[in-house]
Amino acid sequence: MKHYRILIVTALVLLGLGALFLALRPELTATTDEPREQVYDIEIEDDAMSPVEVGVGQGDQVTLRFTSDAPVEVHLHGYDLEEEVEPGEETELSFEAELSGQFEIENHETEAALGALLVEPR
Amino acid sequence: MPRRALIPALTLLLLLPLVPSPALAHGFGQSYDLPLPLWLYLFGAGAVVLASFIPISLFADKGKTTRDAPYRYPRFDLLWIRLTRAVLTGRIMLLGLRLLSVGLFLLVVLTGLFGRQGADSNFAPTFVWILFWVGLGFFTAFVGNIWPLVNPWKVLFEWAETFVHRLRSGSSIELGEPYPASWGIWPAVALYAIFVWVENIFSGSPIPFNISVLALSYSVLTWGGMAVYGKETWLRRGEVFSVFFGLLARFAPTEVRVKNPRFCRQCSDDCRAAGKECVNCYECFERAAPEDREINVRPPAAGLARPEPIPPGGVFFVILVLAGLAFDGLLETPLWTQFRIATSIPQTLGLVLAPLVFLAAYLGFVKLSQLFGGGTARLAPLAAAYVYSLVPIAIAYQVAHYYTLLLIQGQGVIRHVSDPFGWGWDLFGAAGYTIEPGIIGAAFVWYSQVALIVGGHVVAVYIAHLIALRQYEVKGRALRSQIPMLALMILYTISSLWIISQPLILEENAAPAQGDASSEPTPPENLREPPMPDPR
């Protein structure tokens, strides 16, 4: 008797969870479904990026174009990419965003966090 | 110096090196997890409520409780099988593990003192903060407790004891001062609080030299405690890692057990007080004859429902563990940052407040549970009885929060083993190993985090019900008493989910010390936005 009850309750709970999952899950056929090219202009001022966060989708071809008020060695965590940025010059960092996750962008000398790259999974 | 003053003096000594130094405290042990998306957070919250019905359905019947029946669970003795017995009891195996552990301990101390001081170019930080603290915790909870076997402080103390004994037979390095019973495990509580502070707030925690100094200070304190009060007493009451791993070991799917009560007569603790059984009492296990030992496989979490007496400080220790983990996550949320900017409350005060808030919530809900259940149950014993049922929630959160860190940043140890001091060595040809960050996708991380947290909640509710059956005469009362406990657990679990759904706060922007940050606190809404359109 007890065993039947737990089986029935477990089945009902799993059904409910499935329904809840389908109801809440966002549509996957949104416009962002296809990987695309993304270009961002980023200004660095006082060791802070503007915009402070860059959001892309997994698989996107990303180009970050940095300008800075001071010389800075930009380091993108996870992807482990580095680029020297000199004031008055535009420096590009190009890569395919194949890793999903949240990756800090830091000033490599001072190790101060400048901002972050967010790669949403596809 | 009188002996009684020794412990406070040693504690002071431990605190001395903690004067904060200018630090490169950034990004050590950072994970790449994306915050849980809102829809998944909502799903998780719904799942927590729905899934609670599964354990409840097991108990929803009438009749008498199992109040006076001994607590039993299925178990299987691994020492029955020749192969596992050879592996688990082989002398060479055990000695090898101890030597490895002492070697690693010495390596941490030496690399910290003499190695290159970058957190990333030295063996000590990755080993201590990721492999030992996170990794060994997971191992203990999901495999079993090997700490009593490999604890380097215990092993070295025993070696010293053997040496002194050989030198002059009959002499001992233990003074055997009586340990005040009212202290309970409060020394371990205090040390755990210091540990959580060092881990989360002390900005010098990833610096190898500091790790080394802390390890040495802790060694002095631990050996002092063992010498004054006796090795076993201090391991049980004051050695914080033994107490912490011992707590996780109650959740573990394995246990050690001594069949013959005669070995427990000399136990420094009354280990058979709980159901006349000696389970996970490592002192008696070591003393017992081989044929009286068992190493059992048992259902996970079963050990949490054993009717064990809780020592003074025991309830607070569990609450501190739970609050410490939550606080670790809370520190990184925009809400906390804004709160700090608004109130300019120091981080350390937050660490003091968090366990008190958690304790107040726990006691409040236990009081409600007492009212709902009726009968004669008193508050303090009830609060003690239920406290281990919170452990699955803490473990689930810890795993959800840290497993990617272990899998990704933990890889750093491969490189550090080849070049522990950061001096450019390449002992095993792996000094050039670079961390592979792409082994788990962000979507898998999300789903596994939600599954872990909901799973931990279900187990916690089940354990609390088992405990309730011992507190009441009739099942109806036990079930009713669980309504507030269920509410408390849903509250804890949903706050775990909430924390991992919060966006990353960039330390530099969050620091209120920088003038412009206070005028422009980072609004959480902005951080939650989906990928922005191409700005061109």
Side-chain angles (χ1 to χ4, degrees), chain B residues 517-531:
Chain B
S518 53
S519 61
E520 201 184 15
T522 330
E525 308 82 67
N526 280 2
L527 298 173
R528 295 299 307 269
E529 268 174 9

Side-chain angles (χ1 to χ4, degrees), chain A residues 99-116:
Chain A
L99 303 174
S100 54
Q102 177 166 243
F103 305 97
E104 227 170 70
I105 299 173
E106 65 161 30
N107 176 337
H108 208 194
E109 287 116 280
T110 62
E111 303 200 354
L114 305 168

